[in-house]
CSV table of all heavy atoms in Angstrom, one decimal:
chain,number,residue,atom,x,y,z
A,16,ILE,N,0.1,-3.0,-8.2
A,16,ILE,CA,0.9,-1.9,-7.6
A,16,ILE,C,0.8,-2.1,-6.1
A,16,ILE,O,-0.2,-2.3,-5.5
A,16,ILE,CB,0.3,-0.5,-7.9
A,16,ILE,CG1,0.2,-0.2,-9.4
A,16,ILE,CG2,1.0,0.6,-7.1
A,16,ILE,CD1,-0.5,0.9,-9.9
A,17,THR,N,2.0,-2.1,-5.4
A,17,THR,CA,2.0,-2.2,-3.9
A,17,THR,C,2.6,-0.8,-3.4
A,17,THR,O,3.7,-0.4,-3.8
A,17,THR,CB,2.9,-3.3,-3.5
A,17,THR,OG1,2.4,-4.5,-4.1
A,17,THR,CG2,2.9,-3.5,-2.0
A,18,VAL,N,1.8,-0.2,-2.5
A,18,VAL,CA,2.2,1.2,-2.0
A,18,VAL,C,2.2,1.0,-0.5
A,18,VAL,O,1.4,0.5,0.1
A,18,VAL,CB,1.2,2.2,-2.4
A,18,VAL,CG1,1.6,3.6,-2.0
A,18,VAL,CG2,0.9,2.2,-3.9
A,19,THR,N,3.3,1.6,0.1
A,19,THR,CA,3.4,1.7,1.6
A,19,THR,C,3.4,3.2,1.9
A,19,THR,O,4.1,4.0,1.2
A,19,THR,CB,4.7,1.0,2.2
A,19,THR,OG1,5.8,1.6,1.7
A,19,THR,CG2,4.6,-0.5,1.9
A,20,ILE,N,2.6,3.6,2.9
A,20,ILE,CA,2.4,5.0,3.3
A,20,ILE,C,2.2,5.0,4.8
A,20,ILE,O,1.8,4.1,5.4
A,20,ILE,CB,1.1,5.5,2.6
A,20,ILE,CG1,1.3,5.5,1.2
A,20,ILE,CG2,0.7,6.8,3.1
A,20,ILE,CD1,0.3,6.1,0.3
A,21,ASN,N,2.6,6.2,5.4
A,21,ASN,CA,2.3,6.5,6.8
A,21,ASN,C,1.1,7.4,6.8
A,21,ASN,O,1.0,8.3,6.0
A,21,ASN,CB,3.5,7.1,7.4
A,21,ASN,CG,4.6,6.1,7.6
A,21,ASN,OD1,4.4,4.9,7.8
A,21,ASN,ND2,5.8,6.6,7.5
A,22,GLY,N,0.2,7.1,7.8
A,22,GLY,CA,-1.0,8.0,7.9
A,22,GLY,C,-1.9,7.5,9.0
A,22,GLY,O,-1.7,6.4,9.6
A,23,ASP,N,-2.9,8.2,9.3
A,23,ASP,CA,-3.9,7.8,10.3
A,23,ASP,C,-5.1,7.0,9.7
A,23,ASP,O,-5.1,6.8,8.4
A,23,ASP,CB,-4.5,9.0,11.0
A,23,ASP,CG,-5.1,10.0,10.2
A,23,ASP,OD1,-5.5,9.8,9.0
A,23,ASP,OD2,-5.3,11.2,10.7
A,24,GLU,N,-6.0,6.5,10.4
A,24,GLU,CA,-7.1,5.8,9.9
A,24,GLU,C,-7.9,6.5,8.8
A,24,GLU,O,-8.4,5.9,7.8
A,24,GLU,CB,-8.0,5.3,11.0
A,24,GLU,CG,-7.3,4.5,12.1
A,24,GLU,CD,-6.8,3.1,11.6
A,24,GLU,OE1,-7.5,2.5,10.8
A,24,GLU,OE2,-5.7,2.7,11.9
A,25,TYR,N,-8.2,7.8,9.2
A,25,TYR,CA,-9.0,8.6,8.2
A,25,TYR,C,-8.3,8.7,6.8
A,25,TYR,O,-8.9,8.5,5.8
A,25,TYR,CB,-9.3,10.0,8.8
A,25,TYR,CG,-10.0,10.9,7.9
A,25,TYR,CD1,-11.4,10.7,7.7
A,25,TYR,CD2,-9.3,11.9,7.2
A,25,TYR,CE1,-12.0,11.6,6.8
A,25,TYR,CE2,-10.0,12.8,6.3
A,25,TYR,CZ,-11.3,12.6,6.1
A,25,TYR,OH,-12.0,13.4,5.2
A,26,ALA,N,-7.1,9.0,6.8
A,26,ALA,CA,-6.3,9.2,5.6
A,26,ALA,C,-6.3,7.8,4.8
A,26,ALA,O,-6.4,7.8,3.6
A,26,ALA,CB,-4.9,9.6,5.9
A,27,ARG,N,-6.1,6.7,5.5
A,27,ARG,CA,-6.1,5.4,4.9
A,27,ARG,C,-7.4,5.2,4.2
A,27,ARG,O,-7.4,4.7,3.0
A,27,ARG,CB,-5.9,4.3,6.0
A,27,ARG,CG,-5.8,2.9,5.4
A,27,ARG,CD,-5.7,1.9,6.4
A,27,ARG,NE,-7.1,1.8,7.0
A,27,ARG,CZ,-7.3,1.1,8.1
A,27,ARG,NH1,-6.3,0.4,8.8
A,27,ARG,NH2,-8.5,1.1,8.7
A,28,GLU,N,-8.5,5.5,4.8
A,28,GLU,CA,-9.8,5.2,4.2
A,28,GLU,C,-10.0,6.1,3.0
A,28,GLU,O,-10.6,5.7,2.0
A,28,GLU,CB,-10.9,5.3,5.2
A,28,GLU,CG,-11.0,4.3,6.3
A,28,GLU,CD,-11.0,2.9,5.7
A,28,GLU,OE1,-11.9,2.7,4.9
A,28,GLU,OE2,-10.2,2.1,6.2
A,29,GLN,N,-9.6,7.4,3.1
A,29,GLN,CA,-9.7,8.3,2.1
A,29,GLN,C,-8.9,7.9,0.8
A,29,GLN,O,-9.5,7.9,-0.3
A,29,GLN,CB,-9.3,9.7,2.5
A,29,GLN,CG,-10.3,10.4,3.4
A,29,GLN,CD,-11.6,10.7,2.7
A,29,GLN,OE1,-12.6,10.1,3.0
A,29,GLN,NE2,-11.6,11.6,1.7
A,30,LEU,N,-7.7,7.4,1.0
A,30,LEU,CA,-6.9,7.0,-0.1
A,30,LEU,C,-7.5,5.8,-0.7
A,30,LEU,O,-7.5,5.7,-2.0
A,30,LEU,CB,-5.5,6.6,0.4
A,30,LEU,CG,-4.6,7.8,0.8
A,30,LEU,CD1,-3.3,7.4,1.5
A,30,LEU,CD2,-4.3,8.7,-0.4
A,31,ILE,N,-8.0,4.8,0.0
A,31,ILE,CA,-8.6,3.6,-0.5
A,31,ILE,C,-9.8,4.0,-1.4
A,31,ILE,O,-10.0,3.5,-2.6
A,31,ILE,CB,-8.9,2.6,0.5
A,31,ILE,CG1,-7.6,2.0,1.1
A,31,ILE,CG2,-9.8,1.5,0.0
A,31,ILE,CD1,-7.8,1.1,2.3
A,32,ASN,N,-10.6,4.8,-0.8
A,32,ASN,CA,-11.8,5.3,-1.6
A,32,ASN,C,-11.5,6.0,-2.9
A,32,ASN,O,-12.2,5.8,-3.9
A,32,ASN,CB,-12.7,6.1,-0.7
A,32,ASN,CG,-13.4,5.3,0.4
A,32,ASN,OD1,-13.6,4.1,0.3
A,32,ASN,ND2,-13.7,5.9,1.5
A,33,GLN,N,-10.5,6.9,-2.8
A,33,GLN,CA,-10.1,7.6,-4.0
A,33,GLN,C,-9.4,6.8,-5.0
A,33,GLN,O,-9.7,6.9,-6.3
A,33,GLN,CB,-9.1,8.8,-3.6
A,33,GLN,CG,-9.7,9.9,-2.8
A,33,GLN,CD,-10.9,10.6,-3.5
A,33,GLN,OE1,-10.7,10.9,-4.7
A,33,GLN,NE2,-12.0,10.8,-2.9
A,34,LEU,N,-8.6,5.8,-4.6
A,34,LEU,CA,-8.1,4.8,-5.5
A,34,LEU,C,-9.1,4.0,-6.3
A,34,LEU,O,-9.0,3.8,-7.5
A,34,LEU,CB,-7.1,3.9,-4.8
A,34,LEU,CG,-5.7,4.4,-4.5
A,34,LEU,CD1,-5.0,3.6,-3.5
A,34,LEU,CD2,-4.9,4.7,-5.7
A,35,LYS,N,-10.1,3.6,-5.5
A,35,LYS,CA,-11.2,2.8,-6.2
A,35,LYS,C,-11.9,3.6,-7.3
A,35,LYS,O,-12.5,3.0,-8.2
A,35,LYS,CB,-12.2,2.4,-5.1
A,35,LYS,CG,-11.7,1.3,-4.2
A,35,LYS,CD,-12.7,1.0,-3.2
A,35,LYS,CE,-12.2,-0.2,-2.2
A,35,LYS,NZ,-13.2,-0.4,-1.1
A,36,LYS,N,-11.9,4.9,-7.2
A,36,LYS,CA,-12.7,5.8,-8.2
A,36,LYS,C,-11.8,6.0,-9.5
A,36,LYS,O,-12.3,6.4,-10.5
A,36,LYS,CB,-12.9,7.1,-7.6
A,36,LYS,CG,-14.0,7.1,-6.5
A,36,LYS,CD,-14.2,8.5,-5.9
A,36,LYS,CE,-15.1,8.4,-4.7
A,36,LYS,NZ,-15.3,9.8,-4.2
A,37,LEU,N,-10.5,5.7,-9.4
A,37,LEU,CA,-9.7,5.9,-10.6
A,37,LEU,C,-10.0,5.0,-11.8
A,37,LEU,O,-10.2,3.8,-11.6
A,37,LEU,CB,-8.2,5.8,-10.2
A,37,LEU,CG,-7.5,6.9,-9.3
A,37,LEU,CD1,-6.2,6.5,-9.0
A,37,LEU,CD2,-7.7,8.2,-10.0
A,38,HIS,N,-9.9,5.6,-13.0
A,38,HIS,CA,-10.1,4.8,-14.2
A,38,HIS,C,-8.9,3.7,-14.3
A,38,HIS,O,-7.8,4.0,-14.0
A,38,HIS,CB,-10.0,5.7,-15.4
A,38,HIS,CG,-10.2,5.1,-16.7
A,38,HIS,ND1,-11.5,4.5,-17.0
A,38,HIS,CD2,-9.4,4.9,-17.8
A,38,HIS,CE1,-11.4,4.0,-18.3
A,38,HIS,NE2,-10.2,4.2,-18.7
A,39,ASN,N,-9.3,2.6,-14.8
A,39,ASN,CA,-8.4,1.4,-15.0
A,39,ASN,C,-8.0,0.7,-13.7
A,39,ASN,O,-7.3,-0.3,-13.7
A,39,ASN,CB,-7.1,1.7,-15.7
A,39,ASN,CG,-7.4,2.3,-17.1
A,39,ASN,OD1,-7.1,3.4,-17.3
A,39,ASN,ND2,-7.9,1.5,-18.0
A,40,VAL,N,-8.5,1.1,-12.5
A,40,VAL,CA,-8.3,0.4,-11.2
A,40,VAL,C,-9.4,-0.6,-11.0
A,40,VAL,O,-10.6,-0.3,-11.1
A,40,VAL,CB,-8.3,1.4,-10.1
A,40,VAL,CG1,-8.2,0.6,-8.7
A,40,VAL,CG2,-7.1,2.3,-10.2
A,41,LYS,N,-9.0,-1.9,-10.9
A,41,LYS,CA,-10.0,-2.9,-10.8
A,41,LYS,C,-10.3,-3.3,-9.3
A,41,LYS,O,-11.4,-3.7,-9.0
A,41,LYS,CB,-9.5,-4.2,-11.6
A,41,LYS,CG,-9.3,-4.0,-13.0
A,41,LYS,CD,-10.7,-3.6,-13.6
A,41,LYS,CE,-10.7,-3.2,-15.0
A,41,LYS,NZ,-11.9,-2.4,-15.4
A,42,GLN,N,-9.2,-3.3,-8.5
A,42,GLN,CA,-9.5,-3.6,-7.0
A,42,GLN,C,-8.4,-2.9,-6.2
A,42,GLN,O,-7.3,-2.8,-6.6
A,42,GLN,CB,-9.4,-5.1,-6.9
A,42,GLN,CG,-9.8,-5.5,-5.5
A,42,GLN,CD,-9.8,-7.0,-5.2
A,42,GLN,OE1,-9.4,-7.8,-6.1
A,42,GLN,NE2,-10.2,-7.4,-4.0
A,43,VAL,N,-8.8,-2.5,-5.0
A,43,VAL,CA,-7.9,-1.9,-4.0
A,43,VAL,C,-8.1,-2.7,-2.7
A,43,VAL,O,-9.2,-3.0,-2.3
A,43,VAL,CB,-8.2,-0.5,-3.8
A,43,VAL,CG1,-7.3,0.1,-2.7
A,43,VAL,CG2,-8.2,0.3,-5.2
A,44,LYS,N,-7.0,-3.1,-2.1
A,44,LYS,CA,-7.1,-3.9,-0.9
A,44,LYS,C,-6.0,-3.4,0.1
A,44,LYS,O,-4.9,-3.3,-0.3
A,44,LYS,CB,-6.8,-5.4,-1.2
A,44,LYS,CG,-7.2,-6.3,-0.2
A,44,LYS,CD,-7.3,-7.7,-0.7
A,44,LYS,CE,-8.0,-8.6,0.3
A,44,LYS,NZ,-8.1,-10.0,-0.2
A,45,LEU,N,-6.5,-3.2,1.4
A,45,LEU,CA,-5.5,-3.0,2.4
A,45,LEU,C,-5.0,-4.3,2.9
A,45,LEU,O,-5.7,-5.2,3.2
A,45,LEU,CB,-6.3,-2.3,3.6
A,45,LEU,CG,-5.5,-2.0,4.8
A,45,LEU,CD1,-4.4,-1.0,4.6
A,45,LEU,CD2,-6.4,-1.6,6.0
A,46,LEU,N,-3.7,-4.4,3.0
A,46,LEU,CA,-3.0,-5.6,3.4
A,46,LEU,C,-2.7,-5.5,4.9
A,46,LEU,O,-1.9,-4.7,5.2
A,46,LEU,CB,-1.8,-5.9,2.6
A,46,LEU,CG,-2.0,-6.1,1.0
A,46,LEU,CD1,-0.7,-6.3,0.4
A,46,LEU,CD2,-3.0,-7.2,0.8
A,47,GLU,N,-3.3,-6.3,5.7
A,47,GLU,CA,-3.2,-6.3,7.2
A,47,GLU,C,-1.9,-6.9,7.5
A,47,GLU,O,-1.6,-8.0,7.0
A,47,GLU,CB,-4.4,-7.0,7.8
A,47,GLU,CG,-5.7,-6.4,7.6
A,47,GLU,CD,-5.9,-5.1,8.2
A,47,GLU,OE1,-5.2,-4.7,9.1
A,47,GLU,OE2,-6.9,-4.4,7.8
A,48,ASN,N,-1.1,-6.3,8.4
A,48,ASN,CA,0.2,-6.8,8.8
A,48,ASN,C,0.2,-8.2,9.3
A,48,ASN,O,1.1,-9.0,8.9
A,48,ASN,CB,0.8,-6.0,10.0
A,48,ASN,CG,1.2,-4.6,9.5
A,48,ASN,OD1,1.4,-4.4,8.3
A,48,ASN,ND2,1.4,-3.7,10.4
A,49,GLU,N,-0.8,-8.7,10.1
A,49,GLU,CA,-0.8,-10.0,10.6
A,49,GLU,C,-1.0,-11.1,9.6
A,49,GLU,O,-0.5,-12.2,9.9
A,49,GLU,CB,-2.0,-10.1,11.7
A,49,GLU,CG,-2.0,-9.1,12.8
A,49,GLU,CD,-2.6,-7.7,12.3
A,49,GLU,OE1,-3.6,-7.7,11.5
A,49,GLU,OE2,-2.1,-6.7,12.7
A,50,ILE,N,-1.5,-10.9,8.5
A,50,ILE,CA,-1.8,-11.9,7.5
A,50,ILE,C,-1.1,-11.6,6.2
A,50,ILE,O,-1.5,-12.1,5.1
A,50,ILE,CB,-3.3,-12.1,7.3
A,50,ILE,CG1,-4.0,-10.8,6.9
A,50,ILE,CG2,-4.0,-12.7,8.5
A,50,ILE,CD1,-5.4,-10.9,6.3
A,51,THR,N,-0.1,-10.8,6.2
A,51,THR,CA,0.6,-10.4,5.0
A,51,THR,C,2.1,-10.8,5.0
A,51,THR,O,2.8,-10.6,6.0
A,51,THR,CB,0.5,-8.9,4.8
A,51,THR,OG1,-0.9,-8.6,4.7
A,51,THR,CG2,1.2,-8.4,3.5
A,52,VAL,N,2.6,-11.3,3.9
A,52,VAL,CA,4.0,-11.6,3.8
A,52,VAL,C,4.6,-10.4,2.9
A,52,VAL,O,4.1,-10.1,1.8
A,52,VAL,CB,4.3,-12.9,3.0
A,52,VAL,CG1,5.8,-13.1,2.8
A,52,VAL,CG2,3.7,-14.0,3.8
A,53,GLU,N,5.6,-9.7,3.5
A,53,GLU,CA,6.3,-8.6,2.8
A,53,GLU,C,7.8,-8.9,2.5
A,53,GLU,O,8.4,-9.6,3.4
A,53,GLU,CB,6.3,-7.4,3.6
A,53,GLU,CG,4.9,-6.8,3.9
A,53,GLU,CD,5.0,-5.5,4.7
A,53,GLU,OE1,6.1,-4.9,4.7
A,53,GLU,OE2,3.9,-5.2,5.3
A,54,ARG,N,8.2,-8.5,1.4
A,54,ARG,CA,9.6,-8.7,1.0
A,54,ARG,C,10.1,-7.5,0.2
A,54,ARG,O,9.3,-6.8,-0.4
A,54,ARG,CB,9.8,-10.0,0.1
A,54,ARG,CG,9.6,-11.3,0.9
A,54,ARG,CD,10.7,-11.5,2.0
A,54,ARG,NE,10.5,-12.7,2.7
A,54,ARG,CZ,9.8,-12.9,3.8
A,54,ARG,NH1,9.1,-11.9,4.4
A,54,ARG,NH2,9.7,-14.0,4.4
A,55,GLU,N,11.4,-7.3,0.3
A,55,GLU,CA,12.1,-6.2,-0.4
A,55,GLU,C,13.4,-6.7,-0.8
A,55,GLU,O,14.0,-7.6,-0.2
A,55,GLU,CB,12.1,-5.0,0.5
A,55,GLU,CG,12.6,-3.8,-0.1
A,55,GLU,CD,12.6,-2.6,0.8
A,55,GLU,OE1,12.1,-2.6,2.0
A,55,GLU,OE2,13.1,-1.5,0.4
A,56,LEU,N,14.0,-6.1,-1.8
A,56,LEU,CA,15.3,-6.4,-2.3
A,56,LEU,C,16.2,-5.1,-2.2
A,56,LEU,O,15.7,-4.0,-2.5
A,56,LEU,CB,15.3,-6.9,-3.8
A,56,LEU,CG,16.6,-6.9,-4.6
A,56,LEU,CD1,17.5,-8.0,-4.0
A,56,LEU,CD2,16.4,-7.0,-6.0
A,57,MET,N,17.4,-5.3,-1.8
A,57,MET,CA,18.3,-4.1,-1.7
A,57,MET,C,19.7,-4.6,-2.3
A,57,MET,O,20.2,-5.7,-2.0
A,57,MET,CB,18.5,-3.6,-0.3
A,57,MET,CG,19.6,-2.6,-0.2
A,57,MET,SD,19.9,-2.0,1.5
A,57,MET,CE,20.6,-3.3,2.2
A,58,LEU,N,20.3,-3.8,-3.0
A,58,LEU,CA,21.7,-3.9,-3.4
A,58,LEU,C,22.5,-2.8,-2.7
A,58,LEU,O,22.1,-1.6,-2.7
A,58,LEU,CB,21.9,-3.7,-4.9
A,58,LEU,CG,21.2,-4.7,-5.8
A,58,LEU,CD1,21.4,-4.4,-7.3
A,58,LEU,CD2,21.5,-6.1,-5.5
A,59,ILE,N,23.5,-3.2,-2.0
A,59,ILE,CA,24.3,-2.2,-1.2
A,59,ILE,C,25.8,-2.4,-1.5
A,59,ILE,O,26.3,-3.6,-1.5
A,59,ILE,CB,24.0,-2.3,0.3
A,59,ILE,CG1,24.7,-1.2,1.0
A,59,ILE,CG2,24.2,-3.7,0.8
A,59,ILE,CD1,24.2,-1.1,2.5
A,60,LYS,N,26.5,-1.3,-1.8
A,60,LYS,CA,28.0,-1.4,-2.0
A,60,LYS,C,28.6,-0.8,-0.8
A,60,LYS,O,28.3,0.3,-0.4
A,60,LYS,CB,28.3,-0.6,-3.3
A,60,LYS,CG,29.8,-0.8,-3.7
A,60,LYS,CD,30.1,0.1,-4.9
A,60,LYS,CE,29.3,-0.2,-6.1
A,60,LYS,NZ,29.7,0.6,-7.3
A,61,VAL,N,29.5,-1.6,-0.2
A,61,VAL,CA,30.3,-1.2,1.0
A,61,VAL,C,31.7,-1.1,0.8
A,61,VAL,O,32.3,-1.9,0.1
A,61,VAL,CB,29.9,-2.2,2.1
A,61,VAL,CG1,30.5,-1.8,3.4
A,61,VAL,CG2,28.4,-2.4,2.3
A,62,LYS,N,32.4,-0.1,1.4
A,62,LYS,CA,33.8,0.0,1.3
A,62,LYS,C,34.4,-1.1,2.1
A,62,LYS,O,33.9,-1.6,3.1
A,62,LYS,CB,34.3,1.3,2.1
A,62,LYS,CG,34.0,2.6,1.4
A,62,LYS,CD,34.5,3.7,2.1
A,62,LYS,CE,34.0,5.0,1.6
A,62,LYS,NZ,34.4,6.2,2.4
């Protein structure tokens, strides 16, 4: 699962800690911008 969210440092740490506690979650990792490749796909219909 890849999730993007806006928040402050405290919120980020809280979310990571809460995710780690969930059943069936094996690992949680913050992906740092400088060392991460991101991609997205969009379909757009234009007049």
Side-chain angles (χ1 to χ4, degrees):
I16 301 171
T17 306
V18 184
T19 61
I20 296 187
N21 290 327
D23 58 19
E24 300 295 317
Y25 176 76
R27 181 187 72 189
E28 291 305 313
Q29 286 297 109
L30 287 172
I31 290 170
N32 290 333
Q33 292 299 315
L34 283 167
K35 288 179 180 178
K36 293 178 185 179
L37 290 177
H38 184 63
N39 300 116
V40 171
K41 296 301 173 196
Q42 187 178 4
V43 179
K44 192 167 195 176
L45 175 67
L46 302 178
E47 301 290 344
N48 289 342
E49 304 80 39
I50 58 170
T51 302
V52 177
E53 294 182 22
R54 292 295 181 264
E55 187 174 354
L56 165 70
M57 175 181 67
L58 299 179
I59 185 168
K60 189 184 300 181
V61 183
K62 289 180 191 172

